[in-house]
Amino acid sequence: MGKYVSVAIDGPAGAGKSTMAKRAAKELGYLYVDTGAIYRTVGYHMWLMGIGPRDADGIRRCLDDVNIEIQHQDDGVQHMILNGKDVTGEIRTPEMSKYASGVSAQKCVRDFLLDMQRAFARKHNVVMDGRDIGTVVLPKAQVKIFLTASPEERAKRRFEELTEKGEKASYEKVLQDMKQRDKQDSERAIAPLKPAPDAVKLDTSGNTIEQSVSEILAIVRRKLG
Ligand code: DC
């Protein structure tokens, strides 16, 4: 891990990882890395190519054509560049959530993205969020947090997010999709969603964002001494 500090934040969809990880990173002056966005970008490429999210052979074949660049721009947004095109907005749809979850179960995809993620932690202090950061990507991270919240609360947050963006959504459908994605992410054979043995579990149900961010910062400060 060298001279840099890594804070790994894992947890299921809608637990508030990205919102809280981004704010905590800002407070700490660390680089925020959203790894879900990287899987979404691979999923988006497969969608563009007409490859289904479970088509293992098709995904393997198309992976060579995926060139991903991650740009951390001044607006605080992590921009995802796929083969030269900024796809930051395109990857944030319910359809791409399903694609990302599907392609992320493929070993070739996980292998393909592993070093890209680790490279950030070799060069920066990072707050990195995902599903397997504390278990696989950065097993030596100094701080590991597993964020959860009840499925109903997570679905409510995701539903509000979509509605705010002006997208038509139904709470029931969001809840159902989320449960399906949690199941798929937790039951896959490789790098499933699960807390690292040394992760601090934080349930954010009923918390405001500010409360959760200060709890995260308190854990980080305690761990770093
Ligand atoms: O965090 P997110 O919802 O944007 O992630 C989208 C999907 O990507 C998620 O359902 C599973 C996959 N993913 C993963 O397998 N490993 C990660 N470290 C991050 C995301």
Side-chain angles (χ1 to χ4, degrees):
M1 202 96 327
K3 54 190 167 139
Y4 294 106
V5 174
S6 297
V7 177
I9 301 189
D10 291 301
K17 294 187 302 290
S18 54
T19 310
M20 291 156 199
K22 191 194 274 178
R23 295 226 191 158
K26 196 165 174 219
E27 288 285 323
L28 293 162
Y30 291 7
L31 181 70
Y32 166 57
V33 182
D34 171 1
T35 64
I38 313 178
Y39 286 96
R40 285 170 181 274
T41 303
V42 173
Y44 182 60
H45 178 80
M46 299 306 158
W47 178 81
L48 285 177
M49 293 293 134
I51 306 286
R54 289 164 195 270
D55 177 355
D57 289 339
I59 291 169
R60 196 174 318 109
R61 239 185 307 114
C62 280
L63 213 45
D64 280 346
D65 303 326
V66 176
N67 185 18
I68 293 178
E69 254 179 89
I70 303 172
Q71 292 179 359
H72 290 97
Q73 298 184 1
D74 292 342
D75 55 7
V77 176
Q78 171 181 301
H79 285 260
M80 298 304 305
I81 317 293
L82 169 64
N83 296 329
K85 183 175 179 286
D86 192 323
V87 297
T88 311
E90 284 85 340
I91 62 173
R92 294 286 154 200
T93 64
E95 178 78 349
M96 285 317 120
S97 300
K98 283 189 202 154
Y99 261 79
S101 181
V103 302
S104 71
Q106 301 294 333
K107 184 172 188 307
C108 58
V109 173
R110 304 207 75 87
D111 290 347
F112 178 70
L113 299 180
L114 191 56
D115 197 60
M116 188 186 296
Q117 299 169 81
R118 286 185 176 157
F120 285 107
R122 283 198 292 269
K123 295 186 200 127
H124 306 270
N125 293 321
V126 292
V127 176
M128 194 176 285
D129 85 23
R131 302 291 188 288
D132 63 335
I133 309 306
T135 50
V136 176
V137 179
L138 304 175
K140 292 189 181 151
Q142 292 88 338
V143 186
K144 298 181 186 179
I145 298 173
F146 195 83
L147 273 192
T148 52
S150 68
E152 290 71 23
E153 172 134 356
R154 293 190 283 115
K156 184 168 156 271
R157 291 179 191 165
R158 198 39 67 86
F159 170 72
E160 283 166 1
E161 224 172 74
L162 289 169
T163 318
E164 259 168 45
K165 278 202 292 185
E167 283 176 34
K168 275 211 196 96
S170 103
Y171 168 79
E172 287 307 325
K173 177 86 171 68
V174 171
L175 178 63
Q176 190 193 339
D177 283 359
M178 188 164 271
K179 285 186 173 166
Q180 171 64 29
R181 190 145 71 97
D182 285 350
K183 184 168 155 53
Q184 192 165 303
D185 293 346
S186 309
E187 291 179 358
R188 69 182 176 217
I190 317 150
L193 166 67
K194 67 166 182 217
D198 51 346
V200 178
K201 291 193 191 130
L202 184 59
D203 189 325
T204 66
S205 305
N207 272 9
T208 62
I209 292 172
E210 282 67 29
Q211 281 167 334
S212 299
V213 173
S214 39
E215 287 186 34
I216 290 173
L217 291 172
I219 295 168
V220 173
R221 294 194 172 117
R222 197 172 71 229
K223 288 275 175 186
L224 297 181

